[in-house]
Amino acid sequence: MDHSESSVSAATSALSGAGIGDPSPPAGRVTGEGEAASPAIDDRELARRLQQRDASALASLYRAYRRRAFGLAYRVLGDAPAAEDAVHAAFLALWERADRIDPDGGKLGALVLTVVHRRAVDLARSRARSQQREAPRSADGDDLDVDPSTGIPDERAQQAFARVLDDEEATRRRLSAALARLPEAQRAVVELAYFEGLTHRAIAERLGLPDGTVKSRLRLGLGHLRDALKTREEGA
Amino acid sequence: MNCDAVDELLAAYALDAVDDDERAAIEAHLATCDRHEDMGELLATAGGLALLAEDREPSLGLGPRLLASAQPDETRAPRRSGRVLPFRWLGAAAAAVVLVAAGFGAGAVLSRGGNESLVQVVSTDGALVRAEATPGEAPVKVTLSGLRRRPEGEGYQVWVVRDDAWVSVGICNTNENGWWQGDFDFALDDEDLLAVTVEPSGGSTRPSGEVVLIASGGGSAD
Ligand SMILES: [Zn+2]
């Protein structure tokens, strides 16, 4: 239960995936302390190694994106164990179906986040379903009907998403500002959809609105956000 | 689903706010229709929302748990029909113990899968050894990855540290991709700790070369 300071950092570094492209064994006794900053991840190389079923590539991928992935799943699911299940399932799906990764698709991070989001949403919905069916009690995952092959977007989608991550900081700033500027009615449906994992029908039910209204608010809202990102591309 | 219906749902689709049937119908449509040019941008925009979630550190055990459940096999059993529950397989019943060798920066996980097999993974940056067995029964299936192929006359010897003694499991060498997998006629125990050293290709009776991977008892998580 109690971790000493050193065991925590040692285990963390155990999963850090430095050494991409250099398969040499770690130099025995010198690892563990003062790990150099890991080299920038070469996504194409990493994708290739995942496709070769090189487990250390999975460790590298996990190490590089675990915080962001877990942060996203936590935002959707609101509790750590479920969020970890979603992250676990997402990375495992990427591992199992590495053949579907487009090595030229750009940032693997975009792919990771897409799959994590899908997993988190699937999990949120099956949790909601099982709570509807029976008295709420601890869901142990037995009802999670998730096909591990799903959730990896097609190549076109991989490339499109990768573009917005080219400049993460700018994307984050612009999206956040644009979201705040959206009319409340649009912002609410976009957030319920993306961050709470609700379908358009579930949103309609929750807000007491016609389904068509929700769908058009989602269109308008996401359209505004898209335009805000476009402005960036045009204006410098 | 026709073009208009797809357009109507495209934003919801991009935000993962459609149900499974709608998603399948939309994807089937998009696969054959190129009239929905804004699809990529909508997907990208929705995906960008992920950046608004705050980064968070998952628990220490998640990475080892992931590595333990990732099957490195190149040829795997035919895929299941019906459902597979990756989270359940390593659910509450699968106690994951993280072992840390302070001097090596190596982490290991021991976990029991739903099929009662024992899995141990030791990894450092870029290198990994994984062993899977029914406890107390030979063989043990071993995978090495991220370890550069040794030159002629050398190999990687896999050991377990059992009651403070080193017991040889077997010797092998990796391929040009730094990968090896095979069975050793060895009965792995619950308490065994994996290690890998560089040895002459005939193997050694006790470790004599560089220790490239080792798990040793240290802190444990949960
Ligand atoms: Zn169409």
Side-chain angles (χ1 to χ4, degrees):
Chain A
M1 241 13 234
D2 58 331
H3 304 286
S4 74
E5 200 80 359
S6 67
S7 71
V8 170
S9 64
T12 306
S13 71
L15 286 161
S16 62
I20 313 298
D22 175 12
S24 64
R29 281 138 237 271
V30 278
T31 40
E33 206 169 324
E35 303 267 346
S38 53
I41 292 215
D42 177 343
D43 279 353
R44 188 185 304 242
E45 170 68 7
L46 198 51
R48 191 185 60 74
R49 286 170 55 219
L50 282 171
Q51 285 167 348
Q52 287 170 346
R53 307 201 62 70
D54 173 349
S56 68
L58 180 64
S60 298
L61 188 72
Y62 175 77
R63 180 218 164 242
Y65 298 114
R66 66 182 191 278
R67 285 189 210 90
R68 183 149 291 169
F70 181 62
L72 176 60
Y74 188 88
R75 175 82 185 261
V76 172
L77 286 157
D79 82 273
E84 292 202 349
D85 282 346
V87 170
H88 183 262
F91 277 96
L92 208 53
L94 286 164
W95 170 252
E96 297 282 332
R97 300 309 313 268
D99 55 312
R100 290 175 58 171
I101 298 176
D102 171 16
D104 299 317
K107 299 208 176 214
L108 278 175
L111 182 57
V112 169
L113 292 176
T114 304
V115 178
V116 165
H117 188 258
R118 270 287 291 287
R119 288 310 164 120
V121 163
D122 286 346
L123 202 44
R125 287 182 198 163
S126 55
R127 195 167 61 180
R129 275 197 298 272
S130 69
Q131 279 167 358
Q132 261 172 13
R133 268 204 300 276
E134 27 185 307
R137 59 193 178 87
S138 69
D140 58 3
D142 277 1
D143 276 324
L144 305 181
D145 227 340
V146 176
D147 178 344
S149 72
T150 60
I152 298 185
D154 70 12
E155 290 179 13
R156 199 155 44 140
Q158 289 182 36
Q159 290 173 7
F161 186 8
R163 279 201 306 275
V164 306
L165 288 191
D166 277 349
D167 186 351
E168 283 183 18
E169 204 32 60
T171 299
R172 190 201 323 269
R173 245 192 349 258
R174 282 182 180 268
L175 270 181
S176 161
L179 197 59
R181 277 199 311 269
L182 282 186
E184 170 61 23
Q186 292 170 23
R187 192 184 55 76
V189 294
V190 167
E191 290 191 342
L192 285 171
Y194 192 80
F195 289 118
E196 298 211 20
L198 298 186
T199 63
H200 56 90
R201 268 186 221 92
I203 296 170
E205 209 169 294
R206 167 135 6 148
L207 299 181
L209 292 169
D211 187 35
T213 306
V214 171
K215 284 192 279 196
S216 71
R217 285 184 187 175
L218 286 173
R219 272 209 313 278
L220 288 169
L222 193 59
H224 283 309
L225 299 182
R226 174 199 56 203
D227 294 344
L229 289 182
K230 263 191 188 160
T231 320
R232 172 194 70 170
E233 281 163 19
E234 284 154 10
Chain B
M1 203 176 269
N2 63 29
C3 285
D4 287 345
V6 168
D7 278 336
E8 193 180 47
L9 275 174
L10 218 46
Y13 169 74
L15 289 160
D16 278 339
V18 292
D19 64 33
D20 292 346
D21 292 341
E22 288 167 333
R23 178 184 297 122
I26 292 167
E27 285 174 355
H29 182 94
L30 292 176
T32 57
C33 176
D34 52 11
R35 288 177 52 196
H36 307 273
E37 284 173 359
D38 51 346
M39 196 269 305
E41 282 185 344
L42 288 180
L43 276 173
T45 306
L49 290 171
L51 300 177
L52 301 185
E54 230 171 276
D55 288 1
R56 280 181 98 89
E57 187 69 61
S59 74
L60 200 55
L62 184 59
R65 177 183 149 198
L66 174 67
L67 289 178
S69 53
Q71 279 283 341
D73 314 23
E74 277 174 333
T75 54
R76 279 166 306 144
R79 299 181 79 77
R80 80 287 171 266
S81 58
R83 61 183 198 166
V84 159
L85 302 174
F87 350 99
R88 186 165 115 193
W89 189 78
L90 278 170
V97 181
V98 180
L99 301 164
V100 172
F104 291 85
V109 61
L110 299 165
S111 70
R112 281 205 188 265
N115 55 2
E116 285 304 302
S117 71
L118 176 71
V119 177
Q120 182 169 158
V121 177
V122 182
S123 73
T124 64
D125 290 354
L128 174 144
V129 59
R130 179 185 193 277
E132 178 171 3
T134 304
E137 283 178 32
V140 55
K141 176 189 245 176
V142 173
T143 307
L144 299 179
S145 83
L147 291 171
R148 176 183 293 153
R149 182 173 175 79
R150 304 308 305 184
E152 193 74 22
E154 285 183 11
Y156 290 109
Q157 190 159 358
V158 180
W159 309 81
V160 295
V161 181
R162 182 181 287 179
D163 301 328
D164 291 330
W166 289 65
V167 184
S168 175
V169 175
I171 187 151
C172 57
N173 201 350
T174 51
N175 65 15
E176 65 279 8
N177 294 323
W179 195 86
W180 184 86
Q181 183 172 79
D183 288 351
F184 287 123
D185 184 20
F186 182 88
L188 192 69
D189 275 351
D190 279 346
E191 311 273 302
D192 288 346
L193 297 170
L194 276 172
V196 177
T197 64
V198 175
E199 301 293 338
S201 55
S204 306
T205 52
R206 66 190 59 192
S208 62
E210 180 194 5
V211 180
V212 293
L213 285 163
I214 186 169
S216 74
S220 69
D222 292 356

